[in-house]
Amino acid sequence: MASILLITASPYGGASRGAILAMQAVENLQRNHPSLNLVVRDLSALATATIHSSYAEAVVGGLAHDAEAFVLSEELIRELEDATFVVIATPMHNYTVPASLKMWIDFVLRYGRSFAPIDGVKTGFLKNRPTLVVVTAGGIVNGDGRAQPDYLTGYLGDVLSTVGIHDLRFVYLDGLASPVRAEQVAADGAQTIQQDEVFGLGAPAGEFA
Ligand SMILES: Cc1cc2nc3c(=O)[nH]c(=O)nc-3n(C[C@H](O)[C@H](O)[C@H](O)COP(=O)(O)O)c2cc1C
């Protein structure tokens, strides 16, 4: 069933500042595309999951997609396949994605299922779809890179492109460690989302559903 997929990667789940802002985009989508189902994937629930040897062997050994070791992987890939729109709210943890989102990546980027090399180039098997990534960070991310490195933006962009999702926009709530700045970036982020041509308040209704 066609859906809006909201993925939250913060340990605070739906209460995180990124998820709260992401919900604004989700509410706009729900208003503009009322037929779409909302699917929420809270990755903090994956915190105890890990990549077992059975999964590694199943991937490397090219087991059938219905193999026992692929149950969670299949569930996560199908959620993504069914999504007309994807909204990801992720904090930066030590310059990159949190472990919970890395876990999701390891289950979703599956050789032979969601991508494979074609003419030597890793090529995605999923259709492209509009995707919004809300990044939260205590420090400054979107600056000149002197404050701290950013291995999140390029990495997550490459990961999503690998499975075929290229229609990406990133919104940053950074510098949240400063309460004064936090208020300002939250207001700016909200405005950016409201003006977005797909995720915004005035985005065309029904076009993608
Ligand atoms: C384990 C851990 C690592 C973190 N690493 C970074 C970092 O590298 N850079 C940064 O700017 N903030 C870092 N932070 C701060 C979070 O990004 C920040 O608290 C963020 O605002 C959380 O947003 P949320 O409310 O959406 O979860 C880290 C936080 C934790 C818990």
Side-chain angles (χ1 to χ4, degrees):
M1 189 180 177
S3 68
I4 299 162
L5 174 61
L6 171 64
I7 298 172
T8 64
S10 166
Y12 303 111
S16 71
R17 284 170 286 192
I20 289 167
L21 184 63
M23 267 314 290
Q24 194 179 312
V26 168
E27 284 166 11
N28 291 340
L29 291 170
Q30 287 181 304
R31 197 174 306 119
N32 291 332
H33 312 278
S35 63
L36 294 180
N37 196 25
L38 174 62
V39 174
V40 179
R41 172 59 69 173
D42 177 0
L43 297 182
S44 60
L46 281 190
T48 53
T50 189
I51 299 297
H52 291 288
S53 59
S54 57
Y55 180 73
E57 282 161 15
V59 171
V60 175
L63 290 199
H65 298 332
D66 62 357
E68 181 64 29
F70 289 145
V71 169
L72 178 57
S73 169
E74 280 296 315
E75 187 181 327
L76 297 174
I77 292 171
R78 286 201 193 113
E79 260 174 20
L80 193 54
E81 284 176 327
D82 288 347
T84 305
F85 301 96
V86 181
V87 180
I88 300 174
T90 179
M92 172 179 275
H93 279 179
N94 294 313
Y95 313 140
T96 187
V97 297
S100 62
L101 183 51
K102 179 59 166 61
M103 185 69 65
W104 180 86
I105 290 167
D106 287 344
F107 283 121
V108 167
L109 262 73
R110 214 173 88 211
Y111 173 79
R113 172 63 172 89
S114 52
F115 77 94
I118 297 179
D119 295 332
V121 179
K122 288 186 178 180
T123 306
F125 294 162
L126 273 61
K127 73 173 170 55
N128 193 16
R129 68 208 76 209
T131 296
L132 168 71
V133 182
V134 177
V135 179
T136 45
I140 304 295
V141 175
N142 214 9
D144 58 12
R146 270 188 310 165
Q148 62 179 340
D150 173 13
Y151 295 109
L152 189 156
T153 309
Y155 173 63
L156 191 54
D158 284 346
V159 156
L160 292 167
S161 287
T162 300
V163 296
I165 299 177
H166 311 283
D167 186 359
L168 303 171
R169 67 273 284 143
F170 285 78
V171 172
Y172 298 87
L173 298 187
D174 65 347
L176 292 177
S178 154
V180 176
R181 184 182 161 96
E183 221 172 287
Q184 188 58 51
V185 290
D188 292 349
Q191 197 180 9
T192 303
I193 286 177
Q194 292 307 66
Q195 290 171 351
D196 189 90
E197 59 184 19
V198 175
F199 294 88
L201 198 55
E207 200 178 299
F208 297 89

